[in-house]
């Protein structure tokens, strides 16, 4: 394998790693909400066909809504950044002395003084793009979002579907052929493994301990499923009674 191929593969891997956060949170939401729907339906005593219908309706609709939310949120951040950047370009072009004083104030507050301060300000203001970048970062405290809003939405949706499908697999298997065993017990086992997997990935995003990340995700899923189960059971009792 050539050095260029290795470098190309490294760049590609780094690019996809940038979207790990979207994959993790899409997967968590997909697993939690779908498992909650299945648990509520089981608690209400609904048959397997209804569980599959409710599960897939949630999977497709909620996943789409979440992906649209991720796309719009990221796009709004980028649009807001670009709007302020255009404003800074206008100020640099039309009120350069005022903007230069702002740069000087920023770096004076950082501890620069005397001729060193003047040299730093001269260097920054000598390049229009560099000048605006400094104003964006140090005056407005804004940084540019490098990730694509479309890719963020797609990754979120794909993750939601892939991980969220796990609570439904046993029921689909049983519907298409036959699964020997307690469907909800096996669904709980497989979904718990999904929570462990996605919780493990989450630790790379949050930079927390692996045990903490796994337990947080697993407990969240269990609590959501437990609440849904008992709500379904209680409502079924009220309606049937």
């Amino acid at each position: 394998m050539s050095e260029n191929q290795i470098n190309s593969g490294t760049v590609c891997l780094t690019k996809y790693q940038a979207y790990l956060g979207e994959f993790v949170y899409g997967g968590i939401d997909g697993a939690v909400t779908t498992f909650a729907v299945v648990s509520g339906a089981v608690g209400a005593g609904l048959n397997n066909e209804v569980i599959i219908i409710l599960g897939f309706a949630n999977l497709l609709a909620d996943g789409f809504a979440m992906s649209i939310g991720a796309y719009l949120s990221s796009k709004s951040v980028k649009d807001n950044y670009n709007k302020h950047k255009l404003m800074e370009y206008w100020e640099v072009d039309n009120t350069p002395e005022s903007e230069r004083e702002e740069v000087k104030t920023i770096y004076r507050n950082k501890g620069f003084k005397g001729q060193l301060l003047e040299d730093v300000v001269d260097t920054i203001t000598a390049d229009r793009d560099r000048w605006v970048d400094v104003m964006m970062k140090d005056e407005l405290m804004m940084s540019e979002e490098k990730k694509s809003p479309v890719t963020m939405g797609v990754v979120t949706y794909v993750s939601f579907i892939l991980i969220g499908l796990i609570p439904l697999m046993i029921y689909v298997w049983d519907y298409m052929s036959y699964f020997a065993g307690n469907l909800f017990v096996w669904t709980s086992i497989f979904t718990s493994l999904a929570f462990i997997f996605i919780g493990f990935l989450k630790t790379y995003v949050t930079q927390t301990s692996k045990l903490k990340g796994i337990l947080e995700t697993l407990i969240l899923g269990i609590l959501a499923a437990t609440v849904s189960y008992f709500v379904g059971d209680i409502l079924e009792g009220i309606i049937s009674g």
Side-chain angles (χ1 to χ4, degrees):
M1 183 179 292
S2 68
E3 184 177 346
N4 287 338
Q5 288 176 313
I6 294 174
N7 291 336
S8 177
T10 301
V11 170
C12 184
L13 180 60
T14 302
K15 177 183 175 182
Y16 286 110
Q17 284 177 334
Y19 296 94
L20 181 60
E22 284 70 40
F23 184 87
V24 166
Y25 294 116
I28 289 175
D29 201 46
V32 169
T33 57
T34 308
F35 190 39
V37 168
V38 171
S39 299
V42 171
L46 302 180
N47 62 45
N48 293 350
E49 288 80 3
V50 174
I51 292 175
I52 292 173
I53 292 170
L54 291 176
F56 274 97
N58 167 81
L59 192 65
L60 298 174
D62 279 9
F64 183 73
M66 188 178 182
S67 66
I68 291 297
Y71 165 78
L72 292 177
S73 176
S74 176
K75 189 173 185 301
S76 296
V77 170
K78 291 178 79 74
D79 289 345
N80 186 51
Y81 179 88
N82 291 331
K83 179 187 73 174
H84 282 86
K85 192 169 186 177
L86 288 174
M87 291 170 60
E88 287 298 329
Y89 272 115
W90 186 91
E91 291 175 357
V92 164
D93 291 337
N94 293 276
T95 58
E97 291 304 319
S98 173
E99 290 298 291
R100 180 184 172 87
E101 283 302 313
E102 288 182 6
V103 174
K104 185 178 289 188
T105 300
I106 289 169
Y107 279 86
R108 185 183 294 116
N109 292 337
K110 291 177 182 288
F112 292 82
K113 59 182 67 174
Q115 188 58 47
L116 178 59
L117 175 61
E118 295 297 329
D119 291 343
V120 168
V121 173
D122 287 342
T123 300
I124 290 171
T125 57
D127 184 282
R128 183 169 174 262
D129 294 331
R130 181 168 57 224
W131 191 348
V132 169
D133 285 341
V134 167
M135 301 306 290
M136 293 297 294
K137 293 174 184 176
D138 293 326
E139 182 192 24
L140 301 181
M141 304 300 175
M142 297 178 70
S143 57
E144 186 175 7
E145 173 62 77
K146 300 294 185 181
K147 294 188 286 188
S148 162
V150 173
T151 305
M152 290 177 71
V154 170
V155 170
T156 300
Y157 191 53
V158 169
S159 175
F160 191 101
I161 296 296
L162 288 178
I163 308 299
L165 187 61
I166 292 174
L168 293 170
M169 289 193 311
I170 297 298
Y171 289 92
V172 173
W173 184 354
D174 182 71
Y175 177 77
M176 295 180 66
S177 56
Y178 174 72
F179 182 82
N182 186 301
L183 300 184
F184 187 64
V185 169
W186 279 102
T187 291
S188 300
I189 291 172
F190 282 120
T191 306
S192 295
L193 292 175
F195 285 137
I196 290 171
F197 169 71
I198 207 72
F200 176 78
L201 290 182
K202 187 180 76 168
T203 62
Y204 289 95
V205 178
T206 59
Q207 297 297 307
T208 55
S209 73
K210 290 179 173 52
L211 180 60
K212 180 182 178 182
I214 289 171
L215 287 178
E216 282 179 346
T217 308
L218 186 59
I219 291 171
L220 172 65
I222 291 172
L223 287 175
T226 301
V227 170
S228 296
Y229 180 90
F230 284 109
V231 167
D233 184 51
I234 292 169
L235 289 177
E236 192 276 335
I238 293 173
I239 293 172
S240 298

